[in-house]
Amino acid sequence: MNIGITIGLQSENESMWINGIKLNAILLANALMQIDGHNVYIIDTSNKVEDLTKVQWDYKKFPVKRLSDVFKTTDIMITLGTSFPASIIEKFKAQDPNKRVVKYMCGNSYVIEMERAIFKTGNDLGEAPWDPGADEIWYVPQQGYQNEHYYKTIFRTDKVYPVPFVWDPMFLIQEIARYKKANRKLPIYNPSRPQAEKRICTFEPNMNVVKYAMIPILAVEQIYRRGVEFNKMYIASGKTLLKNSYFMSQIKYLDVVKNNPSAPKLQFTSRYPVAHYLSETTDIVLAHQWENPLNYSYLDVMFMGYPLVHNADMIKDAGYYYPDFNIESAADQLEYALKHHDENREEMAAKNREVLKRYTIQNKGMIELYDKMIDNLYDGEHEMSYEYDWKTNLYK
């Protein structure tokens, strides 16, 4: 089968770290390439890049093609970074009864579309991508709680399934090589820094309610009130928050702010790639999410050896886990990591490595599951529970 995965490139040599869409497409392609008998490639639907070889990945390993060049020859179209109107899906499938279209949903559609409807105005948002016509809807498992039944309704199909989450350290390894070549400080954990000099960082993008820095900030406030030593907290992608007067009115009452007017303990920065933060401003990563319990950045952090304090219940067997919005528990885990991670780091690293494997192509069960799902697009012979098991990244 010729399998194409769609994205929309915006410029030549576009950074891999702008968002998770390109990473998701490449890593999914990498997984599907492990299945015998398929020709897998990336499809650019934007027509904004003239030379498609100028991408920041191995073009020969992960080729990218124009939609117009492969529209006829593609057998399975996986729409990941592009949403097609129903008319395009109908035209594609009308070419041959064996053509298949899979919508691969990797964002929290319900929350994003809710926020657009409630908080945005004007006509610059386009139309909601509620086009029916796909044969199946596949969604990354962390989005199921809010989106499974949402997708069934808006896409008018019961063929809505969670799929294994795919991750790989290949691009982090490239970053390490690039840092070495440039003689820059490597984004690899350094256990020699004294506790009082350790820097806490949160990477949440602060773009919507799913991933917002307030809970990490309040956990740091808790340990500050306890007298726990640390250097600073860096809030990545946080400079926009400083322009919000309501947010500023919230944090000005915190001890960690008002007790340090001349040497602020909280530092708000612009958005940078994860490797930059790990190299420049991080000793401990403190994370919080709302119904989005798998994130590339969390896995990246653990791969690089950094302690991760988090509430992601799909990786509760890794890092330093606290539940839900429990700020006191988050502070407890953060304090423990500050005081004891270095003495336990080898044990923690071994535990984290086992967790990371279940999202990579080392998990042969994951490859077999994707193989069966592709087969089921045609003959439906494989009986599966479609019930996701976070402990294995497979079905139960």
PDB file of all heavy atoms in Angstrom, residues 33 82 254 303 384 392:
ATOM      1  N   MET A  33       6.478   2.490   8.793  1.00  0.00           N
ATOM      2  CA  MET A  33       7.547   1.956   7.936  1.00  0.00           C
ATOM      3  C   MET A  33       8.093   0.627   8.444  1.00  0.00           C
ATOM      4  O   MET A  33       8.772  -0.082   7.702  1.00  0.00           O
ATOM      5  CB  MET A  33       8.689   2.972   7.823  1.00  0.00           C
ATOM      6  CG  MET A  33       8.376   4.145   6.930  1.00  0.00           C
ATOM      7  SD  MET A  33       9.703   5.395   6.951  1.00  0.00           S
ATOM      8  CE  MET A  33       9.055   6.587   5.775  1.00  0.00           C
ATOM      9  N   THR A  82      -3.535  18.200   8.224  1.00  0.00           N
ATOM     10  CA  THR A  82      -4.389  18.918   7.291  1.00  0.00           C
ATOM     11  C   THR A  82      -5.790  18.352   7.385  1.00  0.00           C
ATOM     12  O   THR A  82      -5.970  17.154   7.516  1.00  0.00           O
ATOM     13  CB  THR A  82      -3.901  18.745   5.840  1.00  0.00           C
ATOM     14  OG1 THR A  82      -2.529  19.137   5.764  1.00  0.00           O
ATOM     15  CG2 THR A  82      -4.714  19.594   4.879  1.00  0.00           C
ATOM     16  N   LEU A 254       1.714  36.419  45.843  1.00  0.00           N
ATOM     17  CA  LEU A 254       2.500  35.249  46.221  1.00  0.00           C
ATOM     18  C   LEU A 254       3.773  35.667  46.945  1.00  0.00           C
ATOM     19  O   LEU A 254       4.435  36.628  46.552  1.00  0.00           O
ATOM     20  CB  LEU A 254       2.856  34.428  44.971  1.00  0.00           C
ATOM     21  CG  LEU A 254       1.677  33.889  44.153  1.00  0.00           C
ATOM     22  CD1 LEU A 254       2.203  33.131  42.925  1.00  0.00           C
ATOM     23  CD2 LEU A 254       0.780  32.994  44.996  1.00  0.00           C
ATOM     24  N   PHE A 303      14.066  11.328  28.784  1.00  0.00           N
ATOM     25  CA  PHE A 303      15.127  10.746  27.966  1.00  0.00           C
ATOM     26  C   PHE A 303      16.461  11.435  28.232  1.00  0.00           C
ATOM     27  O   PHE A 303      17.515  10.795  28.243  1.00  0.00           O
ATOM     28  CB  PHE A 303      14.774  10.851  26.480  1.00  0.00           C
ATOM     29  CG  PHE A 303      15.842  10.330  25.563  1.00  0.00           C
ATOM     30  CD1 PHE A 303      16.014   8.966  25.383  1.00  0.00           C
ATOM     31  CD2 PHE A 303      16.695  11.198  24.886  1.00  0.00           C
ATOM     32  CE1 PHE A 303      17.010   8.479  24.548  1.00  0.00           C
ATOM     33  CE2 PHE A 303      17.688  10.719  24.059  1.00  0.00           C
ATOM     34  CZ  PHE A 303      17.844   9.351  23.880  1.00  0.00           C
ATOM     35  N   MET A 384     -10.448  -6.780  17.827  1.00  0.00           N
ATOM     36  CA  MET A 384      -9.688  -6.041  18.833  1.00  0.00           C
ATOM     37  C   MET A 384     -10.651  -5.371  19.796  1.00  0.00           C
ATOM     38  O   MET A 384     -11.775  -5.024  19.430  1.00  0.00           O
ATOM     39  CB  MET A 384      -8.782  -5.004  18.157  1.00  0.00           C
ATOM     40  CG  MET A 384      -7.717  -5.614  17.261  1.00  0.00           C
ATOM     41  SD  MET A 384      -6.595  -4.378  16.545  1.00  0.00           S
ATOM     42  CE  MET A 384      -7.670  -3.604  15.334  1.00  0.00           C
ATOM     43  N   THR A 392       0.707  -0.406  28.641  1.00  0.00           N
ATOM     44  CA  THR A 392       1.410  -1.082  27.543  1.00  0.00           C
ATOM     45  C   THR A 392       1.445  -0.265  26.262  1.00  0.00           C
ATOM     46  O   THR A 392       2.177  -0.591  25.331  1.00  0.00           O
ATOM     47  CB  THR A 392       0.746  -2.435  27.228  1.00  0.00           C
ATOM     48  OG1 THR A 392      -0.610  -2.196  26.812  1.00  0.00           O
ATOM     49  CG2 THR A 392       0.754  -3.339  28.440  1.00  0.00           C
TER      50      THR A 392
END
